[in-house]
mmCIF file of all heavy atoms in Angstrom:
data_model
loop_
_atom_site.group_PDB
_atom_site.id
_atom_site.type_symbol
_atom_site.label_atom_id
_atom_site.label_comp_id
_atom_site.label_asym_id
_atom_site.label_seq_id
_atom_site.Cartn_x
_atom_site.Cartn_y
_atom_site.Cartn_z
ATOM 1 N N PRO A 201 -112.364 155.458 -35.472
ATOM 2 C CA PRO A 201 -111.855 154.082 -35.467
ATOM 3 C C PRO A 201 -111.532 153.655 -34.038
ATOM 4 O O PRO A 201 -111.151 154.479 -33.200
ATOM 5 C CB PRO A 201 -110.575 154.174 -36.317
ATOM 6 C CG PRO A 201 -110.775 155.373 -37.180
ATOM 7 C CD PRO A 201 -111.573 156.340 -36.346
ATOM 8 N N ARG A 202 -111.671 152.388 -33.751
ATOM 9 C CA ARG A 202 -111.497 151.909 -32.382
ATOM 10 C C ARG A 202 -110.128 152.236 -31.808
ATOM 11 O O ARG A 202 -109.998 152.516 -30.614
ATOM 12 C CB ARG A 202 -111.738 150.396 -32.322
ATOM 13 C CG ARG A 202 -113.162 150.012 -32.664
ATOM 14 C CD ARG A 202 -113.397 148.547 -32.468
ATOM 15 N NE ARG A 202 -114.717 148.150 -32.968
ATOM 16 C CZ ARG A 202 -115.221 146.944 -32.859
ATOM 17 N NH1 ARG A 202 -114.497 145.986 -32.286
ATOM 18 N NH2 ARG A 202 -116.412 146.665 -33.333
ATOM 19 N N ASN A 203 -109.095 152.189 -32.666
ATOM 20 C CA ASN A 203 -107.751 152.440 -32.146
ATOM 21 C C ASN A 203 -107.487 153.922 -31.887
ATOM 22 O O ASN A 203 -106.464 154.283 -31.305
ATOM 23 C CB ASN A 203 -106.697 151.884 -33.112
ATOM 24 C CG ASN A 203 -106.761 152.527 -34.493
ATOM 25 O OD1 ASN A 203 -107.762 153.141 -34.851
ATOM 26 N ND2 ASN A 203 -105.704 152.397 -35.260
ATOM 27 N N LYS A 204 -108.418 154.775 -32.305
ATOM 28 C CA LYS A 204 -108.278 156.214 -32.061
ATOM 29 C C LYS A 204 -109.366 156.736 -31.135
ATOM 30 O O LYS A 204 -109.384 157.924 -30.807
ATOM 31 C CB LYS A 204 -108.323 156.976 -33.387
ATOM 32 C CG LYS A 204 -107.163 156.662 -34.318
ATOM 33 C CD LYS A 204 -107.243 157.500 -35.589
ATOM 34 C CE LYS A 204 -106.077 157.199 -36.520
ATOM 35 N NZ LYS A 204 -106.138 157.994 -37.773
ATOM 36 N N ARG A 205 -110.250 155.870 -30.741
ATOM 37 C CA ARG A 205 -111.408 156.273 -29.938
ATOM 38 C C ARG A 205 -111.129 156.091 -28.453
ATOM 39 O O ARG A 205 -110.544 155.087 -28.041
ATOM 40 C CB ARG A 205 -112.623 155.437 -30.356
ATOM 41 C CG ARG A 205 -113.926 155.882 -29.755
ATOM 42 C CD ARG A 205 -115.072 155.188 -30.482
ATOM 43 N NE ARG A 205 -115.061 153.745 -30.319
ATOM 44 C CZ ARG A 205 -115.450 152.882 -31.240
ATOM 45 N NH1 ARG A 205 -115.868 153.306 -32.422
ATOM 46 N NH2 ARG A 205 -115.428 151.591 -31.015
ATOM 47 N N ALA A 206 -111.527 157.068 -27.669
ATOM 48 C CA ALA A 206 -111.355 156.969 -26.218
ATOM 49 C C ALA A 206 -112.239 155.863 -25.658
ATOM 50 O O ALA A 206 -113.256 155.503 -26.253
ATOM 51 C CB ALA A 206 -111.701 158.304 -25.558
ATOM 52 N N LYS A 207 -111.836 155.324 -24.528
ATOM 53 C CA LYS A 207 -112.633 154.302 -23.865
ATOM 54 C C LYS A 207 -113.915 154.915 -23.323
ATOM 55 O O LYS A 207 -113.914 156.026 -22.791
ATOM 56 C CB LYS A 207 -111.835 153.683 -22.710
ATOM 57 C CG LYS A 207 -112.596 152.642 -21.914
ATOM 58 C CD LYS A 207 -111.749 152.137 -20.750
ATOM 59 C CE LYS A 207 -112.537 151.156 -19.878
ATOM 60 N NZ LYS A 207 -111.736 150.678 -18.732
ATOM 61 N N ASN A 208 -115.005 154.206 -23.492
ATOM 62 C CA ASN A 208 -116.275 154.666 -22.937
ATOM 63 C C ASN A 208 -116.121 154.832 -21.425
ATOM 64 O O ASN A 208 -115.734 153.887 -20.734
ATOM 65 C CB ASN A 208 -117.374 153.636 -23.244
ATOM 66 C CG ASN A 208 -118.757 154.137 -22.881
ATOM 67 O OD1 ASN A 208 -118.917 155.003 -22.032
ATOM 68 N ND2 ASN A 208 -119.773 153.582 -23.521
ATOM 69 N N PRO A 209 -116.382 156.016 -20.889
ATOM 70 C CA PRO A 209 -116.236 156.214 -19.435
ATOM 71 C C PRO A 209 -117.131 155.293 -18.617
ATOM 72 O O PRO A 209 -116.889 155.087 -17.423
ATOM 73 C CB PRO A 209 -116.612 157.693 -19.237
ATOM 74 C CG PRO A 209 -117.392 158.068 -20.459
ATOM 75 C CD PRO A 209 -116.836 157.241 -21.564
ATOM 76 N N ARG A 210 -118.151 154.725 -19.267
ATOM 77 C CA ARG A 210 -119.045 153.798 -18.561
ATOM 78 C C ARG A 210 -118.673 152.340 -18.809
ATOM 79 O O ARG A 210 -119.401 151.447 -18.384
ATOM 80 C CB ARG A 210 -120.495 154.013 -19.013
ATOM 81 C CG ARG A 210 -121.102 155.325 -18.606
ATOM 82 C CD ARG A 210 -122.624 155.309 -18.624
ATOM 83 N NE ARG A 210 -123.196 154.510 -19.665
ATOM 84 C CZ ARG A 210 -123.887 153.377 -19.445
ATOM 85 N NH1 ARG A 210 -124.049 152.915 -18.226
ATOM 86 N NH2 ARG A 210 -124.409 152.704 -20.461
ATOM 87 N N GLN A 211 -117.539 152.069 -19.486
ATOM 88 C CA GLN A 211 -117.223 150.704 -19.880
ATOM 89 C C GLN A 211 -117.076 149.776 -18.685
ATOM 90 O O GLN A 211 -117.565 148.647 -18.689
ATOM 91 C CB GLN A 211 -115.948 150.667 -20.717
ATOM 92 C CG GLN A 211 -115.710 149.326 -21.391
ATOM 93 C CD GLN A 211 -116.850 148.952 -22.328
ATOM 94 O OE1 GLN A 211 -117.211 149.739 -23.202
ATOM 95 N NE2 GLN A 211 -117.437 147.777 -22.146
ATOM 96 N N ASP A 212 -116.392 150.250 -17.639
ATOM 97 C CA ASP A 212 -116.237 149.413 -16.438
ATOM 98 C C ASP A 212 -117.597 149.097 -15.822
ATOM 99 O O ASP A 212 -117.838 147.978 -15.356
ATOM 100 C CB ASP A 212 -115.341 150.118 -15.405
ATOM 101 C CG ASP A 212 -113.891 150.200 -15.862
ATOM 102 O OD1 ASP A 212 -113.509 149.415 -16.766
ATOM 103 O OD2 ASP A 212 -113.150 151.039 -15.321
ATOM 104 N N GLU A 213 -118.471 150.099 -15.827
ATOM 105 C CA GLU A 213 -119.827 149.902 -15.302
ATOM 106 C C GLU A 213 -120.597 148.905 -16.157
ATOM 107 O O GLU A 213 -121.291 148.021 -15.635
ATOM 108 C CB GLU A 213 -120.554 151.245 -15.274
ATOM 109 C CG GLU A 213 -122.007 151.170 -14.826
ATOM 110 C CD GLU A 213 -122.728 152.498 -14.964
ATOM 111 O OE1 GLU A 213 -122.046 153.536 -15.111
ATOM 112 O OE2 GLU A 213 -123.978 152.503 -14.943
ATOM 113 N N ILE A 214 -120.452 149.031 -17.493
ATOM 114 C CA ILE A 214 -121.144 148.119 -18.411
ATOM 115 C C ILE A 214 -120.644 146.694 -18.223
ATOM 116 O O ILE A 214 -121.437 145.747 -18.169
ATOM 117 C CB ILE A 214 -120.941 148.585 -19.870
ATOM 118 C CG1 ILE A 214 -121.647 149.930 -20.103
ATOM 119 C CG2 ILE A 214 -121.446 147.539 -20.850
ATOM 120 C CD1 ILE A 214 -121.317 150.572 -21.426
ATOM 121 N N ASP A 215 -119.310 146.529 -18.115
ATOM 122 C CA ASP A 215 -118.734 145.197 -17.914
ATOM 123 C C ASP A 215 -119.173 144.605 -16.582
ATOM 124 O O ASP A 215 -119.466 143.413 -16.483
ATOM 125 C CB ASP A 215 -117.208 145.271 -17.971
ATOM 126 C CG ASP A 215 -116.695 145.550 -19.369
ATOM 127 O OD1 ASP A 215 -117.465 145.367 -20.336
ATOM 128 O OD2 ASP A 215 -115.525 145.961 -19.500
ATOM 129 N N ALA A 216 -119.221 145.457 -15.547
ATOM 130 C CA ALA A 216 -119.632 144.982 -14.224
ATOM 131 C C ALA A 216 -121.092 144.530 -14.242
ATOM 132 O O ALA A 216 -121.450 143.526 -13.626
ATOM 133 C CB ALA A 216 -119.432 146.088 -13.184
ATOM 134 N N GLU A 217 -121.929 145.275 -14.973
ATOM 135 C CA GLU A 217 -123.346 144.899 -15.080
ATOM 136 C C GLU A 217 -123.497 143.566 -15.805
ATOM 137 O O GLU A 217 -124.308 142.727 -15.413
ATOM 138 C CB GLU A 217 -124.115 145.992 -15.821
ATOM 139 C CG GLU A 217 -124.291 147.274 -15.014
ATOM 140 C CD GLU A 217 -124.940 148.375 -15.823
ATOM 141 O OE1 GLU A 217 -125.137 148.175 -17.050
ATOM 142 O OE2 GLU A 217 -125.255 149.436 -15.252
ATOM 143 N N ALA A 218 -122.694 143.368 -16.857
ATOM 144 C CA ALA A 218 -122.761 142.115 -17.617
ATOM 145 C C ALA A 218 -122.309 140.944 -16.753
ATOM 146 O O ALA A 218 -122.918 139.868 -16.765
ATOM 147 C CB ALA A 218 -121.898 142.211 -18.871
ATOM 148 N N LEU A 219 -121.233 141.166 -15.982
ATOM 149 C CA LEU A 219 -120.730 140.111 -15.110
ATOM 150 C C LEU A 219 -121.726 139.793 -14.005
ATOM 151 O O LEU A 219 -121.963 138.630 -13.670
ATOM 152 C CB LEU A 219 -119.388 140.535 -14.509
ATOM 153 C CG LEU A 219 -118.690 139.505 -13.616
ATOM 154 C CD1 LEU A 219 -118.430 138.220 -14.398
ATOM 155 C CD2 LEU A 219 -117.381 140.067 -13.074
ATOM 156 N N ALA A 220 -122.345 140.846 -13.435
ATOM 157 C CA ALA A 220 -123.330 140.639 -12.377
ATOM 158 C C ALA A 220 -124.539 139.885 -12.902
ATOM 159 O O ALA A 220 -125.074 138.997 -12.234
ATOM 160 C CB ALA A 220 -123.763 141.990 -11.793
ATOM 161 N N ALA A 221 -124.965 140.218 -14.132
ATOM 162 C CA ALA A 221 -126.103 139.524 -14.735
ATOM 163 C C ALA A 221 -125.781 138.059 -14.953
ATOM 164 O O ALA A 221 -126.621 137.177 -14.737
ATOM 165 C CB ALA A 221 -126.483 140.191 -16.053
ATOM 166 N N SER A 222 -124.538 137.786 -15.371
ATOM 167 C CA SER A 222 -124.112 136.405 -15.589
ATOM 168 C C SER A 222 -124.115 135.630 -14.279
ATOM 169 O O SER A 222 -124.575 134.492 -14.202
ATOM 170 C CB SER A 222 -122.720 136.379 -16.220
ATOM 171 O OG SER A 222 -122.274 135.054 -16.385
ATOM 172 N N LYS A 223 -123.623 136.271 -13.211
ATOM 173 C CA LYS A 223 -123.581 135.612 -11.903
ATOM 174 C C LYS A 223 -124.992 135.362 -11.377
ATOM 175 O O LYS A 223 -125.278 134.315 -10.794
ATOM 176 C CB LYS A 223 -122.790 136.469 -10.912
ATOM 177 C CG LYS A 223 -121.283 136.475 -11.169
ATOM 178 C CD LYS A 223 -120.556 137.301 -10.125
ATOM 179 C CE LYS A 223 -119.054 137.255 -10.336
ATOM 180 N NZ LYS A 223 -118.331 138.072 -9.336
ATOM 181 N N MET A 224 -125.880 136.330 -11.594
ATOM 182 C CA MET A 224 -127.260 136.168 -11.134
ATOM 183 C C MET A 224 -127.930 135.006 -11.855
ATOM 184 O O MET A 224 -128.669 134.227 -11.249
ATOM 185 C CB MET A 224 -128.048 137.456 -11.377
ATOM 186 C CG MET A 224 -127.708 138.596 -10.443
ATOM 187 S SD MET A 224 -128.635 140.110 -10.790
ATOM 188 C CE MET A 224 -130.306 139.556 -10.486
ATOM 189 N N GLN A 225 -127.632 134.866 -13.168
ATOM 190 C CA GLN A 225 -128.220 133.774 -13.923
ATOM 191 C C GLN A 225 -127.684 132.434 -13.429
ATOM 192 O O GLN A 225 -128.413 131.448 -13.297
ATOM 193 C CB GLN A 225 -127.911 133.937 -15.404
ATOM 194 C CG GLN A 225 -128.601 132.895 -16.291
ATOM 195 C CD GLN A 225 -130.102 133.002 -16.223
ATOM 196 O OE1 GLN A 225 -130.677 134.051 -16.514
ATOM 197 N NE2 GLN A 225 -130.774 131.934 -15.835
ATOM 198 N N ASN A 226 -126.359 132.417 -13.129
ATOM 199 C CA ASN A 226 -125.774 131.186 -12.606
ATOM 200 C C ASN A 226 -126.395 130.796 -11.276
ATOM 201 O O ASN A 226 -126.651 129.626 -11.015
ATOM 202 C CB ASN A 226 -124.254 131.361 -12.438
ATOM 203 C CG ASN A 226 -123.524 131.414 -13.751
ATOM 204 O OD1 ASN A 226 -124.034 130.943 -14.768
ATOM 205 N ND2 ASN A 226 -122.339 131.982 -13.776
ATOM 206 N N ASP A 227 -126.620 131.818 -10.403
ATOM 207 C CA ASP A 227 -127.246 131.544 -9.104
ATOM 208 C C ASP A 227 -128.669 131.026 -9.292
ATOM 209 O O ASP A 227 -129.118 130.130 -8.582
ATOM 210 C CB ASP A 227 -127.265 132.828 -8.250
ATOM 211 C CG ASP A 227 -125.873 133.243 -7.806
ATOM 212 O OD1 ASP A 227 -124.961 132.394 -7.871
ATOM 213 O OD2 ASP A 227 -125.694 134.403 -7.424
ATOM 214 N N ALA A 228 -129.379 131.610 -10.279
ATOM 215 C CA ALA A 228 -130.755 131.183 -10.536
ATOM 216 C C ALA A 228 -130.797 129.757 -11.074
ATOM 217 O O ALA A 228 -131.732 128.996 -10.816
ATOM 218 C CB ALA A 228 -131.428 132.124 -11.529
ATOM 219 N N ASP A 229 -129.743 129.384 -11.839
ATOM 220 C CA ASP A 229 -129.708 128.061 -12.428
ATOM 221 C C ASP A 229 -129.178 126.997 -11.470
ATOM 222 O O ASP A 229 -129.304 125.805 -11.728
ATOM 223 C CB ASP A 229 -128.794 128.058 -13.675
ATOM 224 C CG ASP A 229 -129.432 128.815 -14.830
ATOM 225 O OD1 ASP A 229 -130.640 129.042 -14.766
ATOM 226 O OD2 ASP A 229 -128.708 129.167 -15.769
ATOM 227 N N ALA A 230 -128.563 127.444 -10.354
ATOM 228 C CA ALA A 230 -127.955 126.489 -9.432
ATOM 229 C C ALA A 230 -129.026 125.616 -8.781
ATOM 230 O O ALA A 230 -130.148 126.071 -8.511
ATOM 231 C CB ALA A 230 -127.164 127.243 -8.368
#
């Protein structure tokens, strides 16, 4: 269950990749 599960050690990396992809799309759309 999520409340008993450890955080994915790659979660920060995954979030950073998602944010970077979002920023790249915004730059492409600018």
Side-chain angles (χ1 to χ4, degrees):
R202 296 185 188 184
N203 61 342
K204 296 182 179 179
R205 188 167 64 214
K207 178 183 176 181
N208 189 336
R210 292 200 325 113
Q211 191 60 53
D212 291 341
E213 177 186 344
I214 293 170
D215 290 343
E217 289 175 353
L219 183 59
S222 178
K223 288 182 177 179
M224 287 179 63
Q225 185 63 58
N226 289 339
D227 291 343
D229 289 343

